[in-house]
Amino acid sequence: MPPTPAALEVRDLRRAYGGRVAADGIDLTAAAGQVTALLGPNGAGKTTTVECCVGLRRPDSGSIRVLGLDRADPAAAGELRESVGVMLQDGGLPMAPRAGDVLAHVTRMYDHPLDPRELLERLDLTGSARTPVRRLSGGQRQRLALACAVVGRPRLVFLDEPSAGLDPRSRRETWSLVRELRADGVAIVLTTHLMDDAEQLADEVVVVDAGKVVASGAPGDLAGHAVVDAYAPANRPTADWARDLAGELASAGRRDLADATTAHDDAARVLLSPGTRGPDARDVAAVASAADLVARRVSGVAGATDVERAGLEPTHANPAGHARVEIVAGRRTLEDAFLELTGRSLRTDQDRPGSADEAAPTGSSARRRRRSR
């Protein structure tokens, strides 16, 4: 029996707008019954990739297979329209009709849809069903767009920022709905600026930057490391502090830790072995001892290291006025991994216009977008 094809297979996708490259050889696979999170700063190529996958843009080159069908084949359009759900961040919703009427209209496009009344209730939209879409809040429009994307029981669904603008209760309900879709065997491609969404929902994470895939894997594998952060004393440049700590660790015979020490925000970060579930107490003690020695040398007085947050006892007393270093041991987060891979924070790059990925569309596409705003 031949293996079941992936719900989505993207190979060597390339798309440019004039001289600006938005997708530069992107490969992406999404499996049935899994959530694949597409992460990247603004302009990374996420939006272009998704728009090519759902047929809103044509790639310059590369191949896209959706549910085993060639996305470029016009004969596949009808089947894909029936089997693929799409939620775009800007919604693409008509503004004049009432919310309930919009969902009812979409429902009639499918042979075996979900009950739209139950979906409105599930997403806390029953009370807004008679409200024109233009008068809905941003969060309500997001929930309506989500309802429209899933009401047709899709086999593959693209969700662009499904939790954006939602209150905590609505966000949890959205998570619950996504998990139910996954349990039903639906393939879900999720783009998000919210790391919590990816960490809570994703089976696979694909990190895109400058139009290329820079990393992919399970969230735990991408984060994957336990870390020890030694925070620099006041007025000590972080780069100098990290260099001195690495030198002290090497002198103490811990070249493995020295080679894994880098400046990270206002701390020297020591990245422990991949796959470790938590920091080893011996590694934490080695970092604490080295940091203590560096702090004493820098200050010229007997310093001390505060390792209480690591669950260890301080190695020295801390007389008033002496240098003090804080040691924090834990696990690297997915956001840490993202920052190291791209050099940018996902949270501070939200939807700024003018990037290559968000290049202004031309022709009828541009006119359609202007009318929908």
Side-chain angles (χ1 to χ4, degrees), residues 314-329:
T315 56
H316 295 273
N318 187 39
H322 290 177
R324 186 176 183 85
V325 179
E326 184 181 20
I327 300 293
V328 179

Side-chain angles (χ1 to χ4, degrees), residues 72-324:
D73 182 1
E79 184 174 345
L80 293 181
R81 192 178 302 114
E82 180 76 18
S83 302
V84 178
V86 181
M87 173 193 175
L88 299 178
Q89 188 180 11
D90 62 11
L93 299 170
M95 294 292 104
R98 295 177 296 189
D101 293 340
V102 171
L103 183 58
H105 174 73
V106 174
T107 301
R108 288 192 290 270
M109 298 178 181
Y110 299 98
D111 293 332
H112 305 287
L114 297 174
D115 186 330
R117 292 168 298 181
E118 291 183 3
L119 203 50
L120 288 172
E121 180 70 26
R122 176 78 181 272
L123 294 172
D124 196 24
L125 287 170
T126 300
S128 306
R130 298 181 63 82
T131 302
V133 172
R134 66 174 177 272
R135 294 183 180 174
L136 297 178
S137 69
Q140 288 171 326
R141 289 182 191 176
Q142 284 292 94
R143 282 177 274 149
L144 179 59
L146 175 60
C148 291
V150 304
V151 71
R153 301 181 189 267
R155 295 166 56 196
L156 168 64
V157 62
F158 293 86
L159 302 179
D160 189 10
E161 303 287 353
S163 292
L166 299 188
D167 59 75
R169 178 177 174 273
S170 297
R171 192 177 181 199
R172 287 192 297 270
E173 191 58 50
T174 296
W175 286 357
S176 176
L177 181 57
V178 170
R179 291 184 178 114
E180 288 181 17
L181 291 170
R182 175 174 58 191
D184 288 340
V186 178
I188 301 160
V189 177
L190 170 75
T191 60
T192 182
H193 284 103
L194 301 172
M195 281 296 178
D196 283 352
D197 281 8
E199 291 177 330
Q200 289 287 331
L201 299 173
D203 300 289
E204 184 83 1
V205 173
V206 178
V207 181
V208 179
D209 192 29
K212 297 178 181 290
V213 173
V214 296
S216 63
D221 293 339
L222 286 182
H225 293 261
V227 296
V228 181
D229 287 334
Y231 285 85
N235 302 320
R236 181 66 173 163
T238 305
D240 294 345
W241 169 248
R243 184 194 63 237
D244 292 346
L245 178 60
E248 191 61 48
L249 286 166
S251 298
R254 294 303 306 266
R255 172 59 65 180
D256 58 327
L257 298 181
D259 291 343
T261 301
T262 59
H264 180 81
D265 293 335
D266 55 349
R269 166 158 289 186
V270 183
L271 206 62
L272 304 184
S273 300
T276 54
R277 296 201 173 270
D280 187 285
R282 291 168 296 183
D283 292 336
V284 177
V287 174
S289 178
D292 183 39
L293 291 171
V294 174
R296 282 190 285 158
R297 186 165 62 245
V298 168
S299 65
V301 294
T305 305
D306 178 3
V307 293
E308 293 174 0
R309 288 177 66 180
L312 304 175
E313 292 296 324
T315 56
H316 295 273
N318 187 39
H322 290 177
R324 186 176 183 85

